[in-house]
Amino acid sequence: MRSNARTRRGGAIFATASLLGLLALPGAAQTQTTTPTSPATDRRISTEAVRPAEPPPVEATNGVIELSLEEAITIALRQNLGLVSQRYARTQSRLGITQSQGIYDLLTQARAAATDSETPSLSAFQANEFQQQDVDFSLTQRLPTGGDLSFGWTTGRRESPEDPERPGLTESYDTGATFSFTQPLLRNFGRIINERGIYLARTDDRISHEEFERQVVLTVQEVINAYWDLVEAQEQVKVAQESLALARELHERNRIQVDVGTLPPLELVQSEAAIATRDEDIIRTTAVVGDAADQLRRLLNVPPGPLWEAEIRPTTEPQAERLDLSVDQSIQLALAERPELRQQELAIERNRINARFFRNQTLPDLDLNLRYNTPGFGLGFNEAFEQITGFDFRVWSVSLDFAFPIQNRSARAASAIANLDVERAETELDNLRAVIATEVRQAVRAVETAAQQIEASRISREFQEKNLDAERKRYENGMSTSFQITQIQEELTRARSREVAAVINYRVVLANYYRATGRLLDIEGVAIEDEPTPEGAVDWWSFDRSPLPGENRGR
């Protein structure tokens, strides 16, 4: 569990001497059962698609950026470009629900036409010249059952030259109102089938939420790892500097003894070689510091400029309480909390929606068509309109249309493929559970091992310090050589380096354990603020999830 203290110090986070103090803490001396308390900082991250705020919340004072782990995580939640990109994907997924609801949009259609015709006369009763204007208007509404309800209105005005044999018929109006209803009775019947797109969009939206959470978890863990990588790299530089100081101390002693004639000049060559080797170690570890700092800057999305040249000085202490972990409880926690499992469960539901749809597509087409029309005709518009409103004339029809491919291979194959997708997704879920359980076991083992390595590395470092003191006394009495002293100094340096790595590694594997059990965001106080589901979206949980044919739901 991370300490709540956020102490700012001008010096380094910890040196080898401070490591001893950390190891002497009560929590470091013995393993204790502990349950992480509430996080130190409440951080909220929105899924709204927005660009990072400017300017970034990173400041350098006298060329130094003092940065705590809590501040690094908070900045990354705001600035990290990976999360910025994920917010756009999250918003697009949410808009997909609104898009899918377009199947219920009221469809309006209108047409206006004008005709001017002159044709040869074929009969004394047929005008060979006329002008006509038509205006048509209709509304169509899709119903949840899959049917279409329509209303149409037509108005036509016809004008022709006056014919002496047919006086008074130069202008006429032909109007009509039509009501129609088409309803599939087998294939494409029912709300579940017709709202498939809405169900899928709703499921995809939930999958997107889980994916966003997963990406936030991975980003937080990346920041934690990068932060402690930087801390370790800086401490390894200090270890290398201490090793160089020991080599220079030995060289100075050799020089004095060579000057007084108690040592041969060859001993100076040995100590000078040791100094050169230690200088090389400092150069190498300094480069590692630069790489670690760049990685952290990238995760925090630090803008190009002076901030990339400023030194990052971590201020969070690495001490952490030891945890007494239960493998079984950790696995149960992971199976309940990991977003990957929820994603896979939603993927199964998505495949089940498709399976039901394609099973319906194996049915024949049987459509009920109802049509009612009331026409009107008159020399004036009012006359024609009164005939329509008075229902003076009526035309209605009812029909059943049937169609079915005899072999129906395409629909049957599509249904079989969809059923296999369900079974495959369920198998993947079982495999994912096994993978997560194994991952948790490894994470628990890593935490326990890291705790033991801290104690072992401390004992090793203390032993090497005592060994060096003893060898120095032998050297002062002429019973040892510079080569032997140098060898023991190098062993002490490696022991100090391993101790630094062990202390930092415990924080890294602890964060990985919290990620493996699905609790990293809770431990770090990160809360995801998601936008509400668009109004009018179909309730995903109302979907019929009864077993499909041949489907084993007891998995």
Side-chain angles (χ1 to χ4, degrees):
M1 182 176 63
R2 175 169 38 85
S3 171
N4 291 342
R6 299 177 61 187
T7 308
R8 294 183 178 272
R9 301 188 304 170
I13 293 181
F14 64 96
T16 303
S18 65
L19 283 174
L20 295 176
L22 296 178
L23 296 172
L25 291 173
Q30 58 182 352
T31 302
Q32 54 179 315
T33 302
T34 177
T35 300
T37 57
S38 58
T41 306
D42 185 19
R43 306 181 184 92
R44 300 183 182 276
I45 175 172
S46 173
T47 61
E48 182 181 0
V50 293
R51 294 289 299 172
E54 294 290 346
V58 180
E59 296 181 358
T61 303
N62 298 325
V64 176
I65 301 174
E66 291 192 344
L67 186 68
S68 69
L69 178 58
E70 292 88 347
E71 291 168 338
I73 293 175
T74 301
I75 294 170
L77 293 177
R78 294 178 54 188
Q79 300 288 128
N80 183 269
L81 290 179
L83 292 183
V84 172
S85 175
Q86 194 64 32
R87 288 188 184 97
Y88 284 106
R90 179 74 190 97
T91 301
Q92 288 174 329
S93 177
R94 190 161 45 242
L95 290 173
I97 298 178
T98 302
Q99 182 183 25
S100 67
Q101 294 168 349
I103 62 171
Y104 288 130
D105 289 348
L106 184 64
L107 177 62
T108 303
Q109 292 179 303
R111 185 182 71 92
T115 303
D116 190 341
S117 175
E118 293 184 10
T119 61
S121 179
L122 300 178
S123 169
F125 300 99
Q126 180 179 7
N128 62 350
E129 180 180 350
F130 69 90
Q131 294 179 340
Q132 183 166 332
Q133 298 84 38
D134 296 292
V135 176
D136 300 334
F137 173 79
S138 67
L139 293 173
T140 303
Q141 177 64 60
R142 171 62 58 87
L143 302 178
T145 58
D148 289 323
L149 182 62
S150 299
F151 168 76
W153 178 274
T154 61
T155 298
R157 176 180 177 274
R158 186 183 182 94
E159 183 178 0
S160 58
E162 184 174 355
D163 188 338
E165 297 182 4
R166 295 178 295 131
L169 295 177
T170 59
E171 182 180 75
S172 62
Y173 288 86
D174 185 4
T175 62
T178 303
F179 299 89
S180 64
F181 174 65
T182 300
Q183 174 61 58
L185 300 180
L186 294 176
R187 181 185 294 187
N188 296 325
F189 172 78
R191 180 169 185 172
I192 292 177
I193 304 304
N194 287 276
E195 292 184 349
R196 166 181 172 242
I198 300 178
Y199 286 118
L200 292 178
R202 184 69 176 266
T203 306
D204 289 342
D205 179 67
R206 293 169 63 86
I207 293 175
S208 171
H209 174 84
E210 301 300 336
E211 176 62 19
F212 185 84
E213 179 178 338
R214 191 180 74 87
Q215 291 297 329
V216 173
V217 170
L218 294 178
T219 300
V220 170
Q221 186 179 26
E222 281 188 311
V223 172
I224 293 174
N225 292 347
Y227 188 91
W228 293 121
D229 285 346
L230 177 58
V231 172
E232 180 182 357
Q234 291 177 343
E235 290 307 311
Q236 295 294 1
V237 170
K238 293 178 183 178
V239 170
Q241 290 172 342
E242 291 174 356
S243 178
L244 176 61
L246 291 175
R248 286 176 174 172
E249 179 186 356
L250 176 62
H251 181 69
E252 183 62 22
R253 288 186 179 185
N254 288 348
R255 187 187 62 78
I256 294 175
Q257 294 188 30
V258 168
D259 289 343
V260 300
T262 59
L263 279 180
L266 184 61
E267 295 290 339
L268 290 178
V269 176
Q270 182 67 45
S271 56
E272 286 175 349
I275 290 175
T277 300
R278 310 294 165 77
D279 282 333
E280 182 183 354
D281 290 340
I282 290 177
I283 294 172
R284 177 181 55 79
T285 53
T286 301
V288 175
V289 170
D291 292 343
D294 285 348
Q295 176 70 358
L296 185 57
R297 292 187 187 100
R298 181 189 68 81
L299 292 172
L300 303 185
N301 191 23
V302 174
L307 291 178
W308 275 80
E309 304 302 326
E311 174 192 356
I312 298 180
R313 185 172 296 166
T315 60
T316 297
E317 299 287 352
Q319 72 267 27
E321 296 183 15
R322 307 298 173 78
L323 303 182
D324 186 10
L325 304 176
S326 167
V327 174
D328 292 338
Q329 291 179 359
S330 298
I331 291 176
Q332 293 301 319
L333 187 62
L335 295 179
E337 298 294 336
R338 286 285 289 267
E340 297 92 329
L341 284 173
R342 294 193 292 269
Q343 279 183 293
Q344 188 59 32
E345 289 170 351
L346 289 168
I348 292 174
E349 296 298 339
R350 195 183 196 284
N351 289 344
R352 286 176 53 76
I353 293 171
N354 284 328
R356 287 191 175 276
F357 172 80
F358 286 109
R359 184 178 65 178
N360 174 267
Q361 298 304 293
T362 63
L363 299 176
D365 280 319
L366 181 62
D367 296 341
L368 172 66
N369 297 289
L370 302 177
R371 183 179 179 87
Y372 178 84
N373 174 254
T374 173
F377 182 84
L379 300 180
F381 177 78
N382 290 338
E383 181 182 355
F385 184 77
E386 288 176 357
Q387 291 177 2
I388 293 174
T389 57
F391 297 97
D392 293 348
F393 306 98
R394 295 182 296 278
V395 179
W396 63 267
S397 64
V398 178
S399 67
L400 282 175
D401 299 336
F402 178 84
F404 184 68
I406 299 301
Q407 294 170 298
N408 203 22
R409 288 176 292 187
S410 176
R412 287 163 54 193
S415 179
I417 292 172
N419 290 336
L420 290 175
D421 282 340
V422 174
E423 295 182 9
R424 175 180 54 81
E426 290 181 336
T427 302
E428 291 175 353
L429 177 61
D430 292 339
N431 180 65
L432 182 58
R433 288 186 179 127
V435 169
I436 289 178
T438 303
E439 186 179 340
V440 171
R441 289 180 181 276
Q442 294 173 346
V444 171
R445 190 178 300 114
V447 172
E448 295 172 347
T449 301
Q452 295 170 359
Q453 286 177 334
I454 292 177
E455 182 65 16
S457 63
R458 179 187 65 82
I459 295 174
S460 176
R461 186 260 308 158
E462 291 177 347
F463 173 80
Q464 293 300 337
E465 287 176 345
K466 293 176 181 179
N467 191 27
L468 179 60
D469 289 340
E471 196 65 25
R472 280 172 175 169
K473 294 178 181 178
R474 290 169 54 84
Y475 177 75
E476 293 170 356
N477 294 327
M479 301 173 63
S480 183
T481 64
S482 296
F483 177 78
Q484 291 172 314
I485 292 291
T486 300
Q487 291 295 104
I488 295 177
Q489 285 179 348
E490 291 178 353
E491 292 176 359
L492 174 59
T493 298
R494 287 192 291 269
R496 287 175 173 173
S497 176
R498 289 194 300 269
E499 186 176 16
V500 168
V503 173
I504 299 301
N505 182 59
Y506 186 78
R507 289 301 298 264
V508 174
V509 299
L510 195 59
N512 184 62
Y513 166 77
Y514 287 132
R515 181 202 60 80
T517 55
R519 297 197 59 204
L520 184 60
L521 297 188
D522 291 337
I523 294 299
E524 296 298 336
V526 178
I528 297 176
E529 292 185 335
D530 209 352
E531 296 295 323
T533 301
E535 293 183 2
V538 175
D539 182 9
W540 179 85
W541 293 108
S542 68
F543 182 77
D544 181 11
R545 296 190 296 278
S546 58
L548 295 168
E551 183 180 1
N552 179 14
R553 294 311 305 278
R555 302 175 70 94

